Amino acid sequence: MNEIWVFAEQRDGALQNVSLELLSKGRELAAQSGYTLCALLLSENGEALAPELFAYGASKVYVADSPRFAYSQNDWFGEAVCRAVREQKPEILLFGATSVGRSLAPTVAAALHTGLTADCTGLEFDSEKKILLQTRPAFGGNIMATITCENHRPQMSTVRANVFKRTRVDGASGTIVRLGIDISDVPERMHRVSATKEAGDDANLAEAKVIVSGGRGIGGPEGFGLVRKLADALGGSVGASRATVDAGWISPLHQVGQTGKTVCPKLYVALGISGAIQHLAGMQSSDTIVAVNKDPSAPIFEVADIGIVGDLNEVVPEIVRALEARRA
Amino acid sequence: MKIVVCIKQVPDSDKVTIDRATNRLNRAGVPSVVNPFDENALEVALKLKDAIPGTTVTVVSMGPPQAEAAIRECLARGATDGVLVSGREFGGADTWATGYTLALAIKKLGPVDLVLFGKQATDGDTAQVGPGIAWQLGLPVLTYAKSVEALGDKAFKVIRTTEDGYEEWEIDRPCALTVVKEAGELRIGSLKSKMAAKKAQIPVWGFADLAPDPELIGLKGSPTRVTKVFAPPVKTGRERLEGTPSQVAEALVERLAAKHLV
């Protein structure tokens, strides 16, 4: 079928932003291709989330519900997605590159024997060849590669949060299609015992709009006090370089970079971070990058939109003051 | 218990620099290392080996002949043995074909209790091969594991990291896990294992050994194609702010305000 599917990822009854961003991108692809934009919703409470999926551009929402869909259990979700795809045969299938999507998508691609491109930063439809052009950064973002999957279907991609913008569609509506998928025959080989959120609401860097990160240059664990102050003033979350995490100054959940999290906020502020490739790989697709570092030759300045060479202990309190003055 | 750890030899990303004129990597002289996350996976395996008598840890890698060095490194750190999957026919494989090929090698090793992977390789960053192999082997998989504990001889307790915290899972044996850095740094290895690694014979399994479907390996067996490679668009309008701390701070806030970021 000439359809584009977005996997509608939900946690505790709330859709993930990245799924809505994918729908917005999906609308563009639907316009380019003439395909129908659809969402695939696996849920324990039926079609409750369908109106929100329509509001972000889905024309059709496929719903499969089962008590087994309370949270993503890879065997069950994988089998359900595969059965839905085999039944409806979409051309394109998109997932958010979350801890769920990055497990589920490769499982589904393996089972369906089709191609999967991870962490795309660009998606475009080639209307002549009728294929999806999937662009992703390679090796720390220093090279971009366009990848295609011509002979297998669906064409599958994962995309990080914040890469695409989400836009509501006014007065949108659509159709709900109930899939009669029953996975009660799939054995239970794993189950989640508990889920714990790290104290502090800003640990989810992947979806943060503003991130202020500290590197070795902040001097010590107490330096994160200053980082936090600026993050608060900007309404953002706190990030960290690998060096500071390795030194035990802050929890690994805050680490940005290849060994930590890949982020792309609207604003990324790097304080005392030199900018090793492995750090750049995790943040250089951010919209606006600001760097404060006392070393004028630090590689971070090569990706920074706005660079400030100076002592962050002098500069950062001034920035906080200027922000407060503006607000007052 | 029989554990398999899949590893990949990658260029040392800490030592890679960029030629800013061409936006390409300066690869010359960059040493090859075991993918850092695979080291964490190996450490998980070795901890289980310490805890459970009779446990063996087999390292499997696919790559060119020189990838043997990466396997030998793992033996020096304490792995029991290793196998290199190598052959011209396997070249150009994407993550699907790589998963298919490595799964054949793991099947050839006989029944296993646990297959471990690093969360992703630092050269491709796809994180797709681990779950792909798990499917090929018919095993359940959990990703982003930071701790693994055997629950008797039928299951494992696994703590996995998520975007904003942690989850505890129980998963039946046999299974596959991908491992994050927090699982622990790889040990140095004993003198004994270092000596043994030097002398170890590492078998190389090629096309004839694995007898794959020729349509499913290498470039031919890869659903995806790289159709274009290009330098990332250069950012325009970059600037440096000069002046006293309060002047640069004012200037920064003005610019952020102009971009509606404050």
Side-chain angles (χ1 to χ4, degrees):
Chain A
M1 285 234 266
N2 289 338
E3 291 184 346
I4 300 166
W5 282 20
V6 171
F7 177 75
E9 184 182 337
Q10 52 130 343
R11 293 188 197 176
D12 306 321
L15 288 167
Q16 296 285 293
N17 286 336
V18 65
S19 301
L20 305 177
E21 291 159 12
L22 283 173
L23 283 173
S24 296
K25 185 66 191 181
R27 282 183 70 215
E28 287 173 30
L29 295 173
Q32 289 165 14
S33 61
Y35 296 168
T36 307
L37 179 63
C38 311
L40 173 62
L41 178 63
L42 305 181
S43 152
E44 61 170 341
N45 43 21
E47 57 212 47
L49 293 168
E52 197 175 351
L53 296 166
F54 294 137
Y56 284 91
S59 308
K60 197 192 273 185
V61 175
Y62 287 103
V63 181
D65 70 340
S66 156
R68 286 191 154 188
F69 298 149
Y71 59 87
S72 177
Q73 200 264 38
N74 204 61
D75 277 352
W76 291 344
F77 269 46
E79 188 57 31
V81 173
C82 286
R83 287 183 191 181
V85 168
R86 287 195 189 104
E87 196 179 293
Q88 303 294 331
K89 300 187 172 41
E91 282 287 304
I92 294 170
L93 175 56
L94 308 176
F95 290 84
T98 63
S99 61
V100 168
R102 290 191 113 207
S103 312
L104 189 54
T107 300
V108 169
L112 296 173
H113 191 191
T114 190
L116 170 63
T117 304
D119 296 336
C120 297
T121 52
L123 293 175
E124 237 182 295
F125 191 79
D126 180 336
S127 3
E128 205 168 297
K129 288 184 169 167
K130 301 233 172 284
I131 51 170
L132 185 64
L133 306 177
Q134 306 158 301
T135 298
R136 77 181 298 258
F139 223 128
N142 294 287
I143 296 169
M144 304 299 290
T146 300
I147 293 167
T148 58
C149 172
E150 286 199 39
N151 303 320
H152 298 255
R153 291 293 178 271
Q155 305 163 84
M156 291 178 57
S157 327
T158 66
V159 176
R160 299 253 182 200
N162 290 339
V163 168
F164 300 127
K165 229 178 114 167
R166 74 186 149 128
T167 349
R168 276 186 93 93
V169 185
D170 288 332
S173 66
T175 50
I176 291 171
V177 178
R178 292 199 151 262
L179 293 166
I181 288 172
D182 177 15
I183 55 148
S184 56
D185 57 317
V186 182
E188 178 169 19
R189 302 189 291 182
M190 57 181 148
H191 67 274
R192 193 173 77 179
V193 178
S194 63
T196 311
K197 281 199 176 142
E198 167 107 328
D201 290 335
D202 69 351
N204 189 354
L205 291 179
E207 295 216 334
K209 299 283 179 231
V210 176
I211 296 173
V212 182
S213 284
R216 214 194 301 264
I218 64 170
E222 64 288 345
F224 274 104
L226 193 57
V227 175
R228 164 82 56 194
K229 234 182 222 163
L230 182 55
D232 287 345
L234 287 166
S237 301
V238 171
S241 72
R242 182 169 74 180
T244 62
V245 171
D246 285 352
W249 297 355
I250 192 165
S251 146
L253 280 179
H254 294 271
Q255 188 182 325
V256 172
Q258 200 158 36
T259 45
K261 285 171 180 157
T262 300
V263 298
C264 36
K266 300 276 162 245
L267 173 62
Y268 188 90
V269 183
L271 302 178
I273 292 176
S274 62
I277 267 206
Q278 89 88 30
H279 188 78
L280 301 184
M283 47 62 75
Q284 66 182 352
S285 50
S286 306
D287 267 9
T288 298
I289 298 170
V290 175
V292 183
N293 201 298
K294 62 173 191 254
D295 173 10
S297 62
I300 190 75
F301 286 122
E302 295 180 29
V303 301
D305 300 277
I306 304 172
I308 297 173
V309 179
D311 181 345
L312 62 95
N313 290 306
E314 291 174 5
V315 175
V316 175
E318 290 295 335
I319 300 172
V320 173
R321 197 166 304 146
L323 286 167
E324 282 165 358
R326 192 183 168 78
R327 196 155 306 144
Chain B
M1 177 162 52
K2 188 164 174 168
I3 304 175
V4 169
V5 182
C6 288
I7 68 151
K8 185 176 186 186
Q9 189 181 49
V10 298
D12 185 348
S13 65
D14 282 346
K15 301 211 168 57
V16 168
T17 56
I18 309 141
D19 182 339
R20 282 292 165 191
T22 58
N23 262 315
R24 295 275 165 155
L25 305 176
N26 293 317
R27 275 177 188 271
V30 175
S32 290
V33 296
V34 176
N35 172 44
F37 299 114
D38 300 346
E39 291 197 350
N40 305 125
L42 179 57
E43 180 59 26
V44 167
L46 295 175
K47 281 201 187 100
L48 289 165
K49 183 170 176 261
D50 292 343
I52 302 163
T55 298
T56 60
V57 176
T58 302
V59 172
V60 177
S61 188
M62 179 162 104
Q66 56 268 31
E68 194 214 58
I71 296 175
R72 206 170 286 281
E73 179 64 30
C74 295
L75 298 182
R77 305 300 185 98
T80 315
D81 52 14
V83 178
L84 176 65
V85 176
S86 193
R88 254 181 313 120
E89 302 88 341
F90 304 131
D94 72 358
T95 57
W96 198 98
T98 301
Y100 169 76
T101 309
L102 278 168
L104 288 179
I106 296 167
K107 282 177 198 161
K108 192 175 157 73
L109 290 167
V112 297
D113 297 288
L114 178 62
V115 185
L116 294 167
F117 308 86
K119 73 159 180 170
Q120 66 202 55
T122 54
D123 55 352
D125 282 324
T126 71
Q128 285 168 193
V129 172
I133 290 178
W135 184 84
Q136 297 278 357
L137 295 172
L139 299 179
V141 62
L142 285 171
T143 50
Y144 307 109
K146 71 166 194 140
S147 89
V148 183
E149 194 188 311
L151 295 174
D153 58 2
K154 293 274 185 295
F156 295 99
K157 177 176 134 179
V158 174
I159 310 286
R160 75 184 287 258
T161 61
T162 62
E163 283 80 356
D164 55 3
Y166 307 101
E167 293 174 351
E168 183 186 326
W169 285 73
E170 284 177 18
I171 184 165
D172 289 356
R173 225 152 111 168
C175 66
L177 303 171
T178 79
V179 170
V180 293
K181 187 180 98 167
E182 292 152 86
E185 199 174 320
L186 179 59
R187 64 196 62 188
I188 302 293
S190 67
L191 192 60
K192 198 176 142 210
S193 59
K194 282 179 189 165
M195 297 299 288
K198 276 192 187 144
K199 283 184 256 166
Q201 291 289 317
I202 298 170
V204 179
W205 289 351
F207 185 87
D209 301 291
L210 298 183
D213 179 338
E215 298 297 315
L216 299 179
I217 58 164
L219 189 63
K220 201 175 182 186
S222 298
T224 61
R225 286 285 180 279
V226 177
T227 50
K228 193 170 119 189
V229 175
F230 57 101
V234 179
K235 278 195 170 182
T236 52
R238 284 164 43 198
E239 64 171 332
R240 290 231 181 157
L241 303 179
E242 314 261 345
T244 65
S246 71
Q247 285 167 339
V248 295
E250 289 291 340
L252 173 64
V253 172
E254 255 171 49
R255 279 158 184 75
L256 296 182
K259 289 171 179 257
H260 306 290
L261 291 166
V262 293

